[in-house]
Amino acid sequence: MGCCAACSALVQGRQTMAEFSQKRGKQRGEEGLSSAVDFLLANARLVLGVGGAAVLGIATLAVKRFIDRATSPQDEDDAKGDSWKELSLLKATSPQQPRPPPATLSQPISPLTPSPSGPEGPANTEPQIVPQLISPVPLCLTFQERLLAFERDHVVIPTANVALAKQLACDIALELQAYLRNKFSELPFGALVPGGPLYEGLQAGTTEHVRLLAPLVLEPGLWNLVPGMDTVAQDPRCWAVRRTQLEFHPRGSSPWDRFLVGGYLSPRILLELLRKALSASVNWPAIGGLLGCLIRPSMASEELLLEVQHERLELTMILLIAVTGANKDNRLLLAWPLEGLAGNLWLQDLYPVEAARLQALDDHDAGTRRRLLLLLCGVCHRHPSLGRLGRGHLTQVVLHLGEDEVDWTEEALGERFLQALELLIGSLEQASLPCYFDSNVNLLGDLQEEEIDDMGYALYSGLQAPEGLL
């Protein structure tokens, strides 16, 4: 019956193709062959059913991509982007086949016994040496086991390295704070505070910078915050810091008034001031010699980065100029190198609230959401096509998944990892990843279409063979 059904489906498929050819006429060359493959993919579900459509879609992917590359070499990236989106839709409608239990993959193979029907040879009277059985070894590892091995080898940071990195960050923070107070004595900078993922157990290898927060001490009553949507930039991620009370405290009465642009405190001017100071004024060789390391400011990035090399480790520190406590919500606003009309706006930093929310969710059910985030960060950082997916994107993915009432124990970590890949693929298909705390913010809005296609294809391929991502 199965063979007859397959033959019937094949005959129907040929008839459908024949009708299509009669309607369209004779098309030759590259356009005809590509159109036939496209038509077959589009109508596969009608002819072969849902399951057959998925199999046919995967089987013809290589042919379709070969045709697209041969006929349109200049549109290779577009063909790749279309293919992963089409196949992800096919996968979403196809029934999933049950996987064999992991234990069957690691069971030892029983030794072969001679067949009783085989020809009998001459009797051997010499004593036979019985081979000694060795302890069985797994033939292969399950994905869960590979994931935990990747975590051990590439994600977890040795405790001694964490302690050393914290000590270096603290010492550099003290030296830099003394410099700022001597160099810019008229500007009231607050105490420099090192922090970030390294300090909260959320650092995956060397994927994140050690944060060095330099808060501005603003006079109460002279400044207030304006949402970015209410400015000409209309950017929901940002806020403007506006100077107020000019009738009672005219411009110049605050030391920060020298950084005003159109009545707003400009982060761009502050960044440029500190960039010049870090690159030209600070005696980094002397500080590095005192701390037993080499410190260099990074001039290749618009961010204020310090590259630190120690004989035991390397780390990157980022100096963040911040506005804190400017309103009752205690938002953390950062001076960030934004482009366009948002250049004079302050970027709201969601890291503190994200980390607190993840911790609260894990504490509620002793879950592994934070471990999942570390694994995703480690995988994307090491993959050539997934580097644009930073901690902000991946944290939002885990937060969206974290609300589901599912198993968050260590035994389900592999399943949650694959679920996160599926959510990312769906978000890339729509080019939309809403912020967990503000749905008006699309975290994929800054990505180019080519970048989305590259990441989508890499993630879809990884979902088919997840071991290749590790």
Side-chain angles (χ1 to χ4, degrees), residues 161-434:
N161 288 358
V162 173
L164 177 58
K166 289 182 177 180
Q167 185 61 51
L168 287 174
C170 183
D171 294 339
I172 293 175
L174 291 176
E175 295 291 337
L176 192 54
Q177 178 175 306
Y179 165 79
L180 290 178
R181 290 181 176 177
N182 292 330
K183 178 70 174 179
F184 307 105
S185 57
E186 74 282 3
L187 298 178
F189 283 100
L192 271 63
V193 181
L198 180 70
Y199 285 75
E200 299 174 353
L202 291 175
Q203 177 95 356
T206 58
T207 60
E208 292 292 326
H209 307 325
V210 177
R211 296 157 58 99
L212 192 58
L213 209 63
L216 309 183
V217 180
L218 299 180
E219 298 83 357
L222 295 187
W223 310 88
N224 68 351
L225 302 184
V226 179
M229 289 298 295
D230 296 342
T231 66
V232 293
Q234 295 186 344
D235 193 333
R237 305 171 302 164
C238 303
W239 293 76
V241 181
R242 182 172 58 188
R243 177 70 155 84
T244 60
Q245 301 292 330
L246 290 177
E247 62 276 13
F248 302 106
H249 304 277
R251 182 173 298 187
S253 58
S254 170
W256 303 109
D257 286 343
R258 56 185 282 200
F259 304 103
L260 291 179
V261 173
Y264 295 90
L265 183 62
S266 173
R268 180 179 295 173
I269 301 178
L270 280 167
L271 283 173
E272 187 61 27
L273 174 72
L274 289 186
R275 183 188 312 282
K276 293 180 179 178
L278 294 180
S279 60
S281 300
V282 182
N283 191 351
W284 293 117
I287 296 177
L290 179 65
L291 302 179
C293 61
L294 178 63
I295 307 174
R296 293 192 303 264
S298 175
M299 303 304 298
S301 173
E302 295 186 20
E303 304 166 10
L304 304 180
L305 300 180
L306 299 176
E307 299 174 351
V308 182
Q309 292 183 344
H310 190 270
E311 60 180 2
R312 290 171 49 190
L313 56 81
E314 296 181 1
L315 61 91
T316 303
M317 300 181 61
I318 178 170
L319 180 62
L320 299 173
I321 308 173
V323 170
T324 61
N327 65 340
K328 60 181 180 180
D329 295 331
N330 199 25
R331 290 183 177 88
L332 178 62
L333 307 180
L334 302 179
W336 201 258
L338 300 173
E339 298 180 356
L341 296 176
N344 286 316
L345 300 182
W346 295 73
L347 181 67
Q348 181 175 355
D349 184 23
L350 296 176
Y351 171 76
V353 292
E354 290 173 343
R357 183 57 181 164
L358 283 176
Q359 184 67 61
L361 289 172
D362 276 348
D363 290 342
H364 176 69
D365 56 10
T368 56
R369 297 168 183 84
R370 288 152 53 92
R371 291 178 64 182
L372 174 61
L373 173 61
L374 292 176
L375 286 167
L376 291 172
C377 288
V379 167
C380 291
H381 178 74
R382 294 169 57 87
H383 196 283
S385 299
L386 303 178
R388 286 298 306 273
L389 288 176
R391 170 176 292 274
H393 305 100
L394 302 175
T395 302
Q396 296 294 320
V397 170
V398 177
L399 283 173
H400 285 298
L401 289 179
E403 297 288 350
D404 296 342
E405 295 293 335
V406 294
D407 186 6
W408 281 100
T409 61
E410 180 179 306
E411 290 73 15
L413 194 55
E415 184 178 353
R416 300 285 82 79
F417 182 89
L418 298 179
Q419 190 178 0
L421 296 188
E422 292 178 351
L423 194 153
L424 268 173
I425 292 174
S427 299
L428 289 170
E429 286 177 350
Q430 303 297 325
S432 174
L433 179 59

Side-chain angles (χ1 to χ4, degrees), residues 75-97:
D75 296 330
E76 181 177 358
D77 293 338
D78 295 339
K80 178 174 66 175
D82 294 340
S83 63
W84 72 264
K85 292 180 181 179
E86 292 170 358
L87 288 185
S88 63
L89 294 177
L90 289 174
K91 178 181 181 299
T93 59
S94 62
Q96 295 184 354
Q97 299 294 332

